[in-house]
Amino acid sequence: MVVNVGIHAVSGVGTIVNDDTTATTVTFADAAPTTEGNSGSKLFKFPVTLSPPTGFPVEVSYQTADGTAAVANNDYHATTATLQIPAGAPSDTIRIIVNGDTRFENDETFFVNITSVSGAVNGGPPTVQARS
């Protein structure tokens, strides 16, 4: 027989930690340096990667901007668009058309500016630079 025993705690707490809140990181990479050629056009490809992929669609809005390459010189096609990455997809590619020419010129650059990202955490509008 136990006598003079007191109870100090009448309940315990269990904490369920939410494991579904991992933020998705959106990473933008430079296009590989590519020769423009003397005629026709080539696609410059800028990889966009999600880590980890999200269960929701992700939209990446972007627009090109002149560096030393210029739309006025017909170096590349001005582009304002939105890349739509489907739910669960790990990556996609922004494609920009670069025009060939026979002008003697130094290596040229243009930019792809990310203007917004929705459906995933965005650390700010990064800039991607390519050489043409």
Side-chain angles (χ1 to χ4, degrees), residues 63-130:
Q63 63 185 37
T64 54
D66 287 354
T68 54
V71 171
N73 291 338
N74 200 33
D75 290 323
Y76 70 98
H77 290 222
T79 305
T80 299
T82 300
L83 178 68
Q84 297 181 342
I85 303 174
S91 63
D92 207 337
T93 305
I94 293 173
R95 293 167 176 82
I96 305 298
I97 298 171
V98 172
N99 299 314
D101 62 45
T102 56
R103 290 187 304 264
F104 178 78
E105 52 201 0
N106 292 323
D107 291 350
E108 298 175 289
T109 59
F110 66 94
F111 300 91
V112 175
N113 295 312
I114 306 304
T115 56
S116 70
V117 176
S118 63
V121 174
N122 181 18
T127 298
V128 181
Q129 180 178 359

Side-chain angles (χ1 to χ4, degrees), residues 15-100:
T15 302
I16 300 171
V17 177
N18 185 356
D19 63 353
D20 301 323
T21 59
T22 302
T24 296
T25 301
V26 181
T27 304
F28 307 93
D30 291 349
T34 304
T35 58
E36 65 186 3
N38 290 330
S39 63
S41 61
K42 292 187 178 179
L43 285 178
F44 273 51
K45 299 175 182 177
F46 297 84
V48 179
T49 305
L50 305 179
S51 179
T54 178
F56 300 95
V58 174
E59 292 188 345
V60 179
S61 296
Y62 61 93
Q63 63 185 37
T64 54
D66 287 354
T68 54
V71 171
N73 291 338
N74 200 33
D75 290 323
Y76 70 98
H77 290 222
T79 305
T80 299
T82 300
L83 178 68
Q84 297 181 342
I85 303 174
S91 63
D92 207 337
T93 305
I94 293 173
R95 293 167 176 82
I96 305 298
I97 298 171
V98 172
N99 299 314

